[in-house]
Amino acid sequence: MPIRSYIYGEMSFTAMLLMGIGYMVLAGIMGIKWGLLYRITGNLWAGLGDHLFNNTVATNMLHVVSLNGTDELQIVRIMAAQIISFAFVLAIHTYRTTKV
């Protein structure tokens, strides 16, 4: 999405780079979180449910159009939602693995 926005002239080169880096960090956080969910539950459905929930709430229901016509803060909103859910999943995983 950032490359397309840059090509269409909707985004500057710097914004494209920052959004690209943000998406790479986001993908890493989501991959770790889904791995932890698999270790907690033993199945893939928890990660799929998390992906569905986050896409529905953080991405689609909170879509914002600015004066420029683009959602400039979408990556910030998605990143915040992923960090909050990652902290929650990490807390559950830590609690379950340290419980004696």
Side-chain angles (χ1 to χ4, degrees):
M1 187 164 73
I3 294 173
R4 183 190 67 204
S5 296
Y6 174 70
I7 291 171
Y8 290 161
E10 299 171 349
M11 183 180 293
S12 69
F13 183 76
T14 306
M16 178 195 70
L17 284 178
L18 290 174
M19 283 195 70
I21 292 168
Y23 277 122
M24 286 188 274
V25 170
L26 179 65
I29 289 172
M30 289 168 46
I32 294 168
K33 180 177 65 170
W34 293 339
L36 290 174
L37 283 170
Y38 178 76
R39 289 189 68 182
I40 291 169
T41 64
N43 63 52
L44 296 176
W45 288 107
L48 291 170
D50 173 74
H51 185 54
L52 173 70
F53 178 76
N54 280 322
N55 277 357
T56 302
V57 174
T59 306
N60 296 328
M61 290 180 73
L62 297 175
H63 185 73
V64 178
V65 178
S66 68
L67 293 175
N68 297 334
T70 59
D71 191 0
E72 297 165 343
L73 295 177
Q74 179 182 18
I75 188 69
V76 175
R77 189 175 59 250
I78 293 171
M79 187 70 80
Q82 289 298 328
I83 289 172
I84 291 168
S85 66
F86 178 75
F88 184 69
V89 169
L90 186 61
I92 291 171
H93 182 265
T94 304
Y95 173 75
R96 287 187 172 212
T97 57
T98 57
K99 187 177 175 183
V100 177

